[in-house]
Amino acid sequence: QVMLVESGGGLVQAGGSLRLSCAASGRTFSIYAMGWFRQDSGKEREFVAATSSGAGALYADSVKGRFTISRDNAKNTVYLQMNSLKPEDTAIYYCAAASSLGFSAPQYDYWGQGTQVTVSS
């Protein structure tokens, strides 16, 4: 089993920045693709960004140029740097692990509990 714990969420004004962290434990972190998803009230969970066990990365069009996903395998941690935040970025952000890189939630095997990000106008 893989355990994932998100942190770094909070309240920020539009235009501000936050960095989310996801700490993994239980298995060899470096072999997993890691993704970030988000879900706002009344909406379906949507893909945000993902990084492979190598150097590959994927981003949703809505966050390209503003968000950056990175990983530190030595610390078993994946990050999501969020800049130029907008009110529409408000959601619960979830970290997830998969055997391969992708943007589809069902392919991810392990999920964290989520961390709330609220962007005020």
Side-chain angles (χ1 to χ4, degrees), residues 2-6 20-24 29 31-38 45-53 69-71 76-80 93-115:
V2 175
M3 296 182 64
L4 304 172
V5 180
E6 303 96 335
L20 305 183
S21 298
C22 175
F29 174 77
I31 69 173
Y32 289 97
M34 301 296 298
W36 287 96
F37 292 77
R38 66 188 183 187
R45 189 167 299 187
E46 66 175 352
F47 172 79
V48 176
T51 182
S52 71
S53 59
I69 188 169
S70 62
R71 66 194 297 161
N76 292 341
T77 302
V78 63
Y79 304 95
L80 185 68
Y93 283 71
Y94 298 91
C95 176
S99 60
S100 60
L101 184 66
F103 55 82
S104 178
Q107 77 179 90
Y108 287 80
D109 301 305
Y110 304 99
W111 294 82
Q113 294 297 309
T115 185

Side-chain angles (χ1 to χ4, degrees), residues 5-13 15-23 36 48 59 66-73 75-85 89 93-95 114-119:
V5 180
E6 303 96 335
S7 63
L11 175 65
V12 64
Q13 293 185 359
S17 298
L18 286 173
R19 188 179 75 161
L20 305 183
S21 298
C22 175
W36 287 96
V48 176
Y59 294 94
R66 299 190 298 120
F67 291 10
T68 302
I69 188 169
S70 62
R71 66 194 297 161
D72 186 339
N73 289 339
K75 295 182 178 180
N76 292 341
T77 302
V78 63
Y79 304 95
L80 185 68
Q81 178 66 47
M82 306 186 295
N83 298 326
S84 301
L85 283 162
D89 294 318
Y93 283 71
Y94 298 91
C95 176
T115 185
Q116 177 70 49
V117 172
T118 302
V119 184

